[in-house]
Amino acid sequence: MQTLEVSTRDEWQLELAKSYKDPRQLLTTLGLDPSAFNEHLEAKKLFSFRVPRPFVELMEAGNPQDPLLRQVLPLADEFTVTPGYSTDPLNEVTDKREHAVPQGLLHKYASRVLLLVQGACAINCRYCFRRHYPYADDVLPRKQFDECVEYVRQHQEVNEVILSGGDPLFANDGYLIELADKLAELKQIKRLRIHSRLPVVLPQRLTERLASHLTKRFEQVILVIHANHANEIGSSLKKHLTPWRQRGITLLNQSVLLKSINDDADSLSQLSERLFDASVLPYYLHQLDPVQGAAHFAVSDARARELWRQINARLPGFLVPKLVREIPNRDSKTPIMPSE
């Protein structure tokens, strides 16, 4: 059994190493002429490019408008400086400077703390709200584990720890198990939550070893994946989510509303249905965080509310995600669903 687990863990790391890091190579693989995108590909300088092969396998060859490709392909629009957009759209860097919290920890909401476990991610989505975040100055090293644990111990109102990043599952199992063991010393913690894009873009990352250990250490474990389009929910994701669900781990999804990718009722409805087929409940549908370089993905609030009305009329309530926006310094995410 131990040999199998090590082999599975190595599998995702080997697959990650094969990721596309050159958009021209990706376009060629998809049967698209890279020279037709010359004016766009310079945007790679603004935010590095990486896409795992399992995610590429879900794209439609020959389609430059493929909704998965559009999430990762650099565009010249990223050079546009848009008023109201910021390199720190949620004031996370500013907040860190104003509050004495340990490196790698954010305490944005009263009962939860967020740990920036890794600065890296397996995929660099062009709309990422932390595309400018100074991870080199604020990511959680092993030597800070005890300091973060002590911070939480001194804040008894905190009963949930969220592992974030970058992407927390970019860290290996050993690191995450060590961190989980430290956090499990805190009897006040009721829940451990993981926010990760990796299960969608690299399903092999969902090792049974990690799921087994987390559920032994915590009564409640929640995995929040990030899928924006039904085409992202493939058979491999379903397969690798199954052992996590069977261990009692709650599976949720959060999406971002993105122009020309999922801003129609059919796409959003299909996403919810496909998620539920994979035993994942829709959780949040986020309005785009106003990060500089991503304004071309924005959908107006009026359009967002109309789409929410449409999917609310089509779907059972448990498949309708909350439409929200994150506003800096608010005590929680702000619902923006229609009042009627």
Side-chain angles (χ1 to χ4, degrees):
M1 178 63 73
Q2 183 65 28
T3 301
L4 175 61
E5 288 172 348
V6 171
S7 174
T8 302
R9 186 169 69 253
D10 289 343
E11 179 187 350
W12 76 267
Q13 293 171 323
L14 291 170
E15 187 60 60
L16 179 64
K18 300 175 186 175
S19 297
Y20 289 90
K21 297 181 181 179
D22 181 350
R24 295 179 182 278
Q25 182 188 12
L26 171 60
L27 290 166
T28 299
T29 297
L30 293 172
L32 297 169
D33 181 5
S35 65
F37 297 84
N38 282 340
E39 66 174 303
H40 297 293
L41 299 186
E42 287 298 305
K44 178 186 173 184
K45 297 176 182 177
L46 299 176
F47 188 41
S48 61
F49 179 88
R50 173 157 53 192
V51 187
R53 290 176 185 267
F55 193 68
V56 175
E57 291 170 1
L58 299 173
M59 297 178 183
E60 181 186 357
N63 181 8
Q65 302 303 318
D66 177 82
L68 279 59
L69 175 63
R70 288 183 60 83
Q71 294 180 55
V72 299
L73 188 66
L75 294 177
D77 293 324
E78 296 177 40
F79 286 102
T80 301
V81 177
T82 305
Y85 284 67
S86 166
T87 58
D88 183 22
L90 303 184
N91 286 351
E92 292 178 324
V93 177
T94 302
D95 188 66
K96 285 283 291 187
R97 291 170 180 158
E98 294 176 353
H99 298 87
V101 297
Q103 180 178 342
L105 184 147
L106 294 173
H107 192 175
K108 296 162 65 171
Y109 306 130
S111 64
R112 285 96 68 203
V113 296
L114 186 147
L115 299 182
L116 296 175
V117 175
Q118 283 280 317
C121 184
I123 190 168
N124 289 341
C125 301
R126 310 310 295 183
Y127 55 85
C128 181
F129 74 99
R130 289 196 181 120
R131 58 182 283 165
H132 304 287
Y133 194 87
Y135 288 111
D137 301 326
D138 191 32
V139 73
L140 180 62
R142 272 188 166 94
K143 63 183 180 181
Q144 296 293 128
F145 284 4
D146 289 338
E147 188 175 347
C148 287
V149 168
E150 184 56 31
Y151 176 92
V152 176
R153 194 191 317 274
Q154 293 176 9
H155 291 77
Q156 287 293 308
E157 72 276 15
V158 173
N159 62 17
E160 180 175 359
V161 175
I162 302 169
L163 305 186
S164 184
D167 197 303
L169 291 185
F170 197 87
N172 61 39
D173 282 358
Y175 178 102
L176 293 171
I177 285 170
E178 184 179 342
L179 176 58
D181 288 346
K182 290 283 187 181
L183 295 171
E185 298 172 4
L186 298 164
K187 302 305 179 186
Q188 73 204 69
I189 299 302
K190 296 173 58 178
R191 293 179 296 273
L192 180 70
R193 194 189 331 167
I194 301 171
H195 283 204
S196 180
R197 181 83 158 131
L198 259 81
V200 175
V201 304
L202 190 61
Q204 297 94 325
R205 178 61 190 96
L206 292 174
T207 65
E208 295 189 38
R209 175 180 185 242
L210 182 58
S212 176
H213 191 86
L214 293 179
T215 50
K216 288 176 182 175
R217 301 300 274 154
F218 297 91
E219 278 190 34
Q220 299 175 338
V221 179
I222 303 101
L223 174 64
V224 184
I225 66 171
H226 175 184
N228 298 314
H229 194 278
N231 292 355
E232 299 177 38
I233 315 297
S235 59
S236 182
L237 175 59
K238 293 181 183 180
K239 171 187 171 183
H240 286 87
L241 282 172
T242 297
W244 285 56
R245 174 180 55 80
Q246 290 174 338
R247 283 178 167 81
I249 294 172
T250 300
L251 303 177
L252 305 174
N253 181 71
Q254 57 180 353
S255 307
V256 180
L257 187 59
L258 300 166
K259 185 178 181 180
S260 301
I261 292 171
N262 62 6
D263 60 332
D264 63 272
D266 286 343
S267 293
L268 294 173
S269 298
Q270 290 166 10
L271 173 59
S272 285
E273 293 282 7
R274 193 78 61 84
L275 284 166
F276 195 63
D277 287 345
S279 301
V280 181
L281 276 176
Y283 173 39
Y284 279 141
L285 175 60
H286 289 267
Q287 269 290 51
L288 181 77
D289 292 318
V291 62
Q292 198 63 257
H296 53 290
F297 288 110
V299 176
S300 71
D301 281 0
R303 176 61 177 161
R305 291 188 177 102
E306 177 55 31
L307 289 171
W308 189 89
R309 286 190 187 94
Q310 291 178 28
I311 63 172
N312 190 47
R314 293 188 187 191
L315 298 171
F318 59 87
L319 290 187
V320 181
K322 293 180 181 178
L323 178 63
V324 298
R325 166 179 283 112
E326 187 155 7
I327 299 176
N329 306 317
R330 290 280 181 93
D331 292 336
S332 65
K333 290 181 172 61
T334 301
I336 58 172
M337 283 92 72
S339 57
E340 297 181 355

